[in-house]
């Protein structure tokens, strides 16, 4: 389902300079007289309240620890619009007492909005400079734990569950995920989090707009429909929330972002398959054999005659090719009728 809202208004900021220096230098009108004065001002920013993460304070925060240029390889495009962060928090329905996993806190602008909403935050940040910066910024609160790790290599269950047990003082059984994700790891993170419906009730992510549209809205009868859509719909109910204009990020990325929410299903709500692993292996085989007859692309899983019988039972021609997702039943894959 697509909500037609779009947060396209970007906050005011100076136009970017054409050349990219190794270290960000604030434009002349925000420079102070000495390095020490600049550092002092950064300390004030470090303790800032939500709403102050605009262009100038982001530059000051990045420079405060001798930080260099934001790293493209880490998808470091920082959010400059506090309103967008508030909308992300609202999309996840974050409230007092919630425990939230945040991936990539960066300068801590979204972290501030989460803390402001009353959540306890477990933040995983790959960049050691940013992890240190966000720790400094919220040093005095016990409602934040920052781990310097790569989320794609992090064992969420063994680290997050004990934290949740310790911090969750309400009867709530599930935590939430809210993140302005680095675009380059978004598919990997989606694959990691969606099967965790026993831990998280909702996953709200800022993704590349095109990716969010594809994940939330691909129809089974379009060429855009992929195994990842089968995966997303198997484990969750996705909803496209709103588009975020690229001018809201610093540095400005090439593409717009969008917020998508995934309401995670419990295991009892998954489609009835014998084993998700063999189900997804079949889905991948079917899609890999695009334009090949299904009875051929799936013949390593079951015999051609079994596949033909299934196709016949569901009223499809036995010569059908995989042009869009199909529901099959096959005795030796552990798949049930769906
Ligand atoms: C798009 S920025 C978002 C920063 C901040 N949340 C904001 O809204 O401004 C992505 C952040 O994720 C961090 N990051 C990149 N790859 C990561 C990974 N594999 N694991 C954890 N953090 C990562 C980057 O260093 C960066 O701080």
């Amino acid at each position: 389902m697509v909500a037609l809202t779009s947060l396209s208004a970007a906050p005011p900021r100076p136009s970017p300079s054409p050349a990219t220096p190794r270290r960000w230098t604030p434009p002349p009108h925000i420079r102070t007289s000495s390095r020490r004065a600049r550092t002092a001002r950064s300390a004030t920013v470090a303790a800032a309240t939500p709403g102050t993460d605009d262009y100038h304070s982001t530059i000051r925060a990045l420079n405060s620890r001798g930080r260099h240029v934001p790293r493209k390889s880490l998808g470091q495009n920082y959010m400059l619009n506090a309103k967008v962060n508030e909308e992300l928090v609202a999309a996840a329905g974050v409230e007092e007492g919630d425990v939230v996993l945040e991936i990539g806190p960066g300068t801590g602008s979204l972290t501030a909005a989460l803390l402001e909403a009353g959540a306890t935050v477990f933040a995983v940040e790959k960049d050691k400079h940013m992890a240190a910066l966000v720790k400094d910024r919220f040093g005095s609160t016990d409602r934040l734990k920052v781990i310097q790790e790569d989320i794609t290599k992090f064992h969420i269950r063994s680290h997050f569950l004990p934290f949740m047990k310790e911090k969750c003082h309400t009867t709530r059984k599930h935590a939430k995920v809210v993140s302005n994700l680095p675009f380059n790891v978004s598919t990997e993170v989606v694959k990691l989090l969606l099967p965790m419906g026993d831990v998280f009730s909702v996953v709200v992510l800022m993704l590349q707009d095109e990716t969010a549209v594809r994940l939330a809205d691909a129809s089974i009868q379009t060429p855009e429909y992929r195994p990842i859509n089968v995966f997303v719909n198997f484990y969750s109910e996705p909803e496209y929330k709103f588009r975020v204009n690229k001018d809201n990020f610093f540095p400005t990325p090439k593409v717009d972002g969008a917020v998508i929410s995934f309401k995670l299903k419990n295991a009892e709500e998954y489609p009835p398959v014998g084993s998700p692993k063999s189900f997804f292996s079949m889905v991948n085989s079917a899609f890999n054999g695009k334009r090949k007859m299904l009875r051929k692309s799936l013949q390593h899983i079951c015999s051609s005659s079994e596949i033909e019988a299934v196709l016949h039972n569901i009223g499809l021609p036995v010569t059908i090719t995989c042009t869009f997702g199909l529901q099959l039943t096959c005795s030796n894959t552990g798949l049930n009728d769906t």
Side-chain angles (χ1 to χ4, degrees):
M1 187 177 152
V2 177
L4 291 174
T5 347
S6 162
L7 273 178
S8 49
R13 63 172 169 177
S15 357
S17 53
T20 305
R22 269 309 292 157
R23 194 183 152 163
W24 286 102
T25 310
H29 61 283
I30 66 159
R31 275 187 210 150
T32 51
S33 51
S34 69
R35 190 146 189 239
R36 187 178 294 173
R38 277 208 299 282
T39 311
R41 202 153 64 157
S42 302
T44 317
V45 172
T49 51
T52 58
D53 292 277
D54 58 7
Y55 175 79
H56 295 138
S57 56
T58 299
I59 298 282
R60 285 198 296 273
L62 291 175
N63 283 346
S64 66
R65 302 175 59 91
R67 262 305 281 142
H68 302 292
V69 190
R71 289 168 65 187
K72 211 171 172 185
S73 63
L74 290 179
Q76 290 178 334
N77 300 98
Y78 300 103
M79 175 45 63
L80 301 179
N81 188 343
K83 178 91 181 103
V84 174
N85 285 330
E86 283 161 22
E87 295 285 343
L88 265 161
V89 172
V94 174
E95 50 189 42
E96 188 88 35
D98 275 343
V99 179
V100 174
L101 168 68
E102 185 191 358
I103 300 160
T107 57
S109 65
L110 176 59
T111 321
L114 289 165
L115 293 171
E116 179 72 11
T120 297
V121 181
F122 186 95
V124 181
E125 170 59 62
K126 184 172 177 183
D127 184 327
K128 68 175 182 200
H129 298 286
M130 303 317 288
L133 196 142
V134 83
K135 264 185 210 165
D136 281 359
R137 174 172 176 171
F138 302 101
S140 60
T141 177
D142 63 351
R143 285 196 289 119
L144 172 68
K145 180 166 183 165
V146 182
I147 306 276
Q148 195 233 311
E149 270 288 352
D150 177 340
I151 191 67
T152 63
K153 303 198 174 110
F154 187 63
H155 197 270
I156 298 178
R157 278 177 200 280
S158 55
H159 294 88
F160 185 76
L161 286 178
F163 175 82
M164 197 176 150
K165 221 174 198 169
E166 183 197 329
K167 297 289 181 185
C168 193
H169 304 303
T170 66
T171 51
R172 252 160 270 160
K173 288 200 194 92
H174 291 94
K176 295 175 176 173
V177 181
V178 185
S179 168
N180 173 8
L181 263 195
F183 292 166
N184 52 348
V185 293
S186 52
T187 308
E188 213 171 330
V189 169
V190 163
K191 286 186 176 165
L192 195 71
L193 295 174
L194 297 202
M196 298 185 73
D198 56 326
V199 181
F200 302 111
S201 56
V202 70
V203 174
V204 173
L205 305 175
M206 170 88 69
L207 302 179
Q208 199 170 315
D209 184 47
E210 199 187 313
T211 310
V213 169
R214 203 158 24 86
L215 294 186
D217 208 32
S219 149
I220 197 162
Q221 265 136 3
T222 62
E224 285 75 43
Y225 200 77
R226 295 275 189 280
I228 185 74
N229 298 103
V230 180
F231 182 90
V232 164
N233 292 310
F234 186 98
Y235 286 114
S236 75
E237 287 167 24
E239 186 183 351
Y240 182 102
K241 291 290 193 180
F242 52 89
R243 188 172 65 82
V244 180
N245 191 290
K246 60 186 176 190
D247 292 343
N248 286 288
F249 300 89
F250 170 78
T252 311
K254 287 203 174 83
V255 290
D256 289 335
V259 172
I260 182 170
S261 95
F262 302 92
K263 185 171 172 290
L264 301 198
K265 296 178 186 171
N266 298 315
E268 316 84 70
E269 298 170 287
Y270 297 160
V273 298
S275 128
K277 200 171 165 213
S278 49
F279 173 71
F280 288 116
S281 144
M282 183 209 66
V283 170
N284 285 328
S285 302
F287 275 84
N288 282 342
K290 263 196 170 181
R291 284 184 286 276
K292 219 166 148 189
M293 280 188 279
L294 270 182
R295 66 179 180 194
K296 290 239 179 305
S297 48
L298 296 181
Q299 67 187 0
H300 62 291
I301 302 177
C302 25
S303 68
S304 292
S305 57
E306 275 182 300
I307 298 169
E308 282 173 15
V310 169
L311 291 171
H312 182 74
N313 279 349
I314 57 175
L316 290 172
V318 294
T319 52
I320 196 164
T321 55
C322 181
T323 46
F324 55 88
L326 287 174
Q327 295 175 323
L328 290 178
T329 175
C330 178
S331 58
N332 66 351
T333 58
L335 304 176
N336 299 327
D337 256 327
T338 54

